[in-house]
């Protein structure tokens, strides 16, 4: 199992499939994009499946989340999902996406074995969407959400980041829309993971701000702590149920003590935390030694992974005055 010195056990694996994205969200990357990883730096489909197999069969992983960049840009995505669905024990599998490609892929992903999706959508206004993402693709995201729901990739969760002066007035409208369409809305505090390193704590929309705004229109009843477990989102029942809304307060209400995640970047690096400044290279072990050699065996790779997670820090360090933002942005390390 993947246990650390604080007794936390990682059972949830986040796998970044690519660093590329077809949006340019202001809180993630600059308008001109970034220097993408080369094909040789990226893990191959076979390497991804092998690492997931090791994680599931030897390290106790029960949940796999495919992320990016934008994972729908990965040509072999459906095949990767299909192969992972055949593992024993079978992990639950989900996908975090901007939704642009879901209209054409949702049914195939469901057939391959994907269980559900998280779709990022920050606004109901097409003009605000274009300002936030620097792309005119709002309609495509809405159609992707509908396709995911119709394909049975449920519950469909919608991830929303509120930005001052852009969409910070939309929280109640977004929740009303989510309830009407049977989506589960989750607000996420903006985190210091932008490529520009322009994040500032002052002025960010906090969980408290979001809840105050929502309560102007809805009655919110907090779920019991037993319902949350290790999930990052605190959840509230909306107007007596059955719908719920979540808030992921990574900055103002960190949940590090219950974290059960390990992360694999698109170029084969283990990250113990989104905000980690160090990584452990699994790609080198995959490629430098044959699978049948002692150093390149599944067991050897599992040992490297275990050692990396053993050194996981107690928390993200966001409240430390000496906190340093990771060099690699969200698009490179996966959400």
């Amino acid at each position: 199992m993947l246990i650390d010195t604080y007794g936390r056990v990682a059972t949830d694996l986040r796998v970044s499939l690519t660093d590329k994205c077809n949006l340019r969200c202001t809180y993630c990357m600059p308008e001109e994009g970034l220097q993408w990883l080369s094909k040789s730096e990226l893990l191959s489909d076979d390497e991804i499946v092998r690492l997931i197999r090791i994680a599931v069969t030897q390290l106790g992983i029960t949940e796999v989340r495919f992320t990016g960049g934008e994972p729908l840009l990965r040509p072999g995505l459906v095949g990767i999902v299909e192969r992972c669905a055949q593992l024993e024990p079978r992990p639950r599998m989900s996908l975090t996406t901007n939704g642009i490609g879901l209209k054409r892929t949702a049914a195939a992903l469901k057939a391959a074995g994907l269980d559900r999706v998280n779709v990022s959508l920050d606004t109901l206004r097409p003009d605000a969407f274009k300002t936030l993402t620097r792309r005119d693709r709002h309609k495509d995201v809405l159609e992707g959400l509908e396709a995911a729901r119709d394909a049975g990739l449920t519950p469909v969760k919608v991830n929303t980041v509120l930005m001052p002066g852009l969409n910070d007035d939309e929280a109640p409208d977004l929740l009303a829309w989510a309830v009407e369409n049977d989506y589960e809305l989750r607000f996420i505090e903006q985190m210091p993971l932008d490529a520009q390193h322009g994040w500032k704590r002052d002025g960010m929309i906090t969980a408290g701000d979001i809840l105050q705004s929502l309560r102007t229109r809805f009655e919110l009843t907090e779920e019991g702590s037993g319902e949350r477990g290790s999930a990052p989102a605190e959840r509230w029942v909306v107007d007596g149920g059955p719908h719920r809304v979540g808030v992921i307060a990574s900055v103002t209400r960190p949940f590090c003590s219950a974290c059960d995640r390990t992360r694999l970047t698109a170029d084969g690096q283990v990250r113990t935390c989104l905000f980690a400044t160090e990584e452990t290279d699994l790609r080198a072990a995959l490629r430098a030694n044959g699978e049948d050699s002692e150093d390149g065996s599944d067991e050897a790779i599992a040992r490297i992974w275990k050692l990396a997670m053993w050194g996981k820090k107690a928390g993200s360090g966001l409240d430390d005055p000496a906190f340093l933002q990771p060099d690699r942005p969200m698009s490179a390390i996966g959400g």
Side-chain angles (χ1 to χ4, degrees):
M1 73 173 56
L2 294 172
I3 189 170
D4 64 36
T5 54
Y6 299 93
R8 296 168 298 192
V9 178
T11 57
D12 186 332
L13 170 61
R14 306 295 171 99
V15 182
S16 176
L17 297 179
T18 180
D19 59 330
K20 295 183 176 67
C21 188
N22 42 12
L23 296 180
R24 298 290 182 268
C25 296
T26 56
Y27 52 78
C28 187
M29 69 173 70
E31 186 170 5
E32 65 273 15
L34 299 168
Q35 182 66 46
W36 309 124
L37 293 167
S38 67
K39 185 174 181 180
S40 63
E41 291 175 293
L42 293 171
L43 294 176
S44 69
D45 292 0
D46 287 344
E47 288 170 334
I48 289 170
V49 172
R50 184 183 173 203
L51 289 176
I52 294 174
R53 173 171 55 79
I54 292 170
V56 169
T57 61
Q58 297 197 30
L59 298 174
I61 291 298
T62 59
E63 302 263 349
V64 176
R65 172 82 63 84
F66 297 106
T67 71
E70 174 45 52
L72 294 182
L73 296 179
R74 178 88 187 200
L77 172 60
V78 172
I80 290 171
V81 171
E82 187 171 31
R83 292 166 67 183
C84 291
Q86 296 169 5
L87 294 173
E88 293 290 343
R90 182 199 187 281
R92 281 191 55 80
M93 292 182 293
S94 57
L95 177 84
T96 296
T97 171
N98 62 31
I100 287 174
L102 270 180
K103 183 177 180 180
R104 58 178 174 78
T105 57
L109 287 167
K110 179 65 177 180
L114 192 71
D115 293 300
R116 64 170 191 82
V117 295
N118 286 36
V119 179
S120 298
L121 180 64
D122 299 325
T123 176
L124 298 176
R125 303 191 295 251
D127 58 334
F129 182 91
K130 188 174 182 179
T131 299
L132 279 162
T133 67
R134 304 184 179 104
R135 298 290 186 271
D136 191 11
R137 305 299 297 273
H138 190 256
K139 180 173 180 289
D140 297 316
V141 179
L142 294 180
E143 290 178 347
L145 277 160
E146 294 173 5
R149 183 189 58 203
D150 294 346
L153 292 169
T154 54
V156 175
K157 297 183 180 181
V158 177
N159 294 340
T160 295
V161 176
L162 296 181
M163 300 290 290
L166 290 174
N167 61 339
D168 52 346
D169 61 335
E170 283 196 74
D173 289 340
L174 281 158
L175 181 52
W177 165 82
V179 167
E180 180 182 353
N181 288 279
D182 202 24
Y183 303 138
E184 183 176 324
L185 182 62
R186 308 194 318 169
F187 292 96
I188 304 176
E189 288 183 337
Q190 184 195 1
M191 294 180 284
L193 291 169
D194 58 309
Q196 309 92 300
H197 287 210
W199 177 89
K200 290 181 174 59
R201 184 184 294 266
D202 294 342
M204 63 170 284
I205 309 301
T206 68
D209 297 331
I210 294 164
L211 292 169
Q212 182 178 5
S213 178
L214 292 176
R215 286 188 168 116
T216 62
R217 195 182 306 180
F218 301 94
E219 179 184 343
L220 302 181
T221 306
E222 188 171 4
E223 281 189 337
S225 57
E227 294 286 338
R228 183 180 183 184
S230 61
E234 296 177 81
R235 298 204 308 173
W236 283 262
V237 178
V238 180
D239 289 342
H243 293 93
R244 284 160 171 74
V245 62
V247 179
I248 300 178
S250 301
V251 178
T252 62
R253 303 181 186 181
F255 39 87
C256 303
S257 62
C259 181
D260 66 349
R261 285 156 193 78
T262 184
R263 300 175 183 277
L264 184 65
T265 67
D267 54 349
Q269 311 299 308
V270 171
R271 294 183 63 87
T272 60
C273 173
L274 267 176
F275 305 105
T277 55
E278 298 175 345
E279 299 175 336
T280 300
D281 190 1
L282 295 185
R283 186 185 63 192
L286 285 171
R287 295 181 179 180
N289 307 285
E291 188 171 345
D292 296 330
S293 73
E294 183 176 345
D295 292 339
S297 66
D298 287 358
E299 291 73 20
I301 291 170
R303 285 195 297 271
I304 297 171
W305 206 329
K306 287 180 182 178
L307 184 60
M309 293 303 295
W310 181 251
K312 183 172 182 172
K313 295 180 179 179
S316 64
L318 281 170
D319 290 327
D320 189 331
F323 171 78
L324 293 176
Q325 184 171 335
D327 288 335
R328 299 229 278 178
M330 176 77 80
S331 61
I333 62 181

